Amino acid sequence: MRKIVAGNWKMNGTRENLVEIKKISDRFSGSDVDIVICPPFTLLSAAKEIATNIFIGAQNLHVENSGAYTGEISAVMLEDLSVTHAIIGHSERRNEYGETNDVVARKVTTALKKKLNVILCIGESELERNENKTLSVLKEQIYGSLKDITDIENIIVAYEPIWAIGTGLTPSLAEISTTHDSIRLNLLEMYGSSASNIPILYGGSVNGLNASEIFSVANVNGALVGGASLSFDTFSPIVKAIENKT
């Protein structure tokens, strides 16, 4: 199983922050971890030039490859930059921009056609968690977001409890275990034994202090990191933690 740590910079970063990507790339040359940094669109080209030892991904893409879609970015454009990954279905896209499972599924299809690695995000709200709906919500998102997808070689699933993103809160290890086991079961139900190779990442206030414990949980194959990925100093301990996972 691949070990993966992906950093989602969200709407942060200017050219002066590229030095952090360079530090990460230089420090983890030869690592057995797939390291992916997803900076804003404005930095993708420059990041590709300096990130010789890690992968560069996008935070979103449009369902169409071209057209009158002002302000959007297509998979064709990402392919032109040799971008390798794309985050799709992040909770902020689902909640702030109304992206439904159907929209997410269309984006996944578009990305896979251009051979992009898809980091598919799923997660429950605090209300859904309090109502004990976490597992059913995640199952609905998995089935809906992967609708009609048969080629799963480039699929990565990232579980991010919405209530934990940027709050400093994390589920208990037992909760993470139950959730990731359920996600694995859903994938196996959909795709059979081949789904055992789909990496499942945890996201939601991951940091250098809790990463080792989180990575000790079965079916946690890496992390999708938010704010801590903006700095080499806060991101590198997370990568080191999963490097030590056996």
Side-chain angles (χ1 to χ4, degrees):
M1 177 68 71
R2 287 177 291 161
K3 301 175 184 179
I4 302 172
V5 177
N8 178 14
W9 280 23
K10 306 188 181 184
M11 198 175 71
N12 297 289
T14 58
R15 283 178 295 178
E16 67 179 3
N17 301 108
L18 290 169
V19 66
E20 303 299 331
I21 295 178
K22 181 70 163 56
K23 289 179 183 177
I24 295 167
S25 178
D26 290 347
R27 167 61 180 81
F28 293 103
S29 174
S31 175
D32 66 344
V33 179
D34 286 358
I35 301 170
V36 188
I37 299 294
C38 300
F41 291 129
T42 54
L43 297 180
L44 286 176
S45 182
K48 278 294 299 181
E49 292 182 6
I50 65 173
T52 55
N53 302 311
I54 63 175
F55 300 102
I56 296 298
Q59 299 175 21
N60 186 36
L61 51 76
H62 196 271
V63 297
E64 301 293 342
N65 286 323
S66 63
Y69 304 102
T70 301
E72 294 290 343
I73 301 292
S74 73
V76 170
M77 296 172 180
L78 299 178
E79 179 186 42
D80 185 53
L81 291 177
S82 299
V83 167
T84 55
H85 293 66
I87 297 172
I88 298 179
H90 193 278
S91 61
E92 290 159 2
R93 297 294 311 179
R94 292 178 186 263
N95 295 336
E96 298 295 326
Y97 300 96
E99 293 189 3
T100 63
N101 287 332
D102 182 62
V103 170
V104 171
R106 292 169 62 198
K107 289 189 174 188
V108 171
T109 298
T110 298
L112 293 179
K113 286 181 179 178
K114 292 302 176 183
K115 306 301 182 182
L116 290 169
N117 293 281
V118 170
I119 302 174
L120 171 65
C121 296
I122 58 174
E124 85 283 9
S125 67
E126 184 175 17
L127 177 61
E128 289 165 337
R129 180 199 188 206
N130 292 339
E131 293 180 347
N132 295 316
K133 294 180 178 178
T134 295
L135 299 187
S136 61
V137 167
L138 298 183
K139 182 174 183 177
E140 180 182 357
Q141 290 177 343
I142 292 169
Y143 274 77
S145 299
L146 293 176
K147 181 177 60 176
D148 300 326
I149 302 299
T150 56
D151 182 4
I152 59 173
E153 182 179 356
N154 291 336
I155 294 292
I156 301 163
V157 174
Y159 165 59
E160 290 196 307
I162 298 171
W163 52 272
I165 298 175
T167 64
L169 303 173
T170 57
S172 68
L173 295 183
E175 288 175 314
I176 294 174
S177 177
T178 297
T179 303
H180 278 245
D181 287 351
S182 178
I183 292 170
R184 179 69 68 198
L185 179 60
N186 293 156
L187 294 170
L188 290 170
E189 288 173 348
M190 293 180 71
Y191 298 109
S193 59
S194 59
S196 61
N197 294 319
I198 297 177
I200 305 174
L201 314 184
Y202 173 78
S205 297
V206 181
N207 57 57
L209 296 177
N210 62 21
S212 292
E213 281 192 337
I214 292 173
F215 293 148
S216 71
V217 176
N219 285 315
V220 175
N221 310 119
L224 179 57
V225 184
S229 68
L230 293 168
S231 165
F232 170 82
D233 291 337
T234 53
F235 189 64
S236 58
I238 299 173
V239 178
K240 291 176 185 176
I242 198 167
E243 281 184 329
N244 294 329
K245 178 176 180 176
T246 57

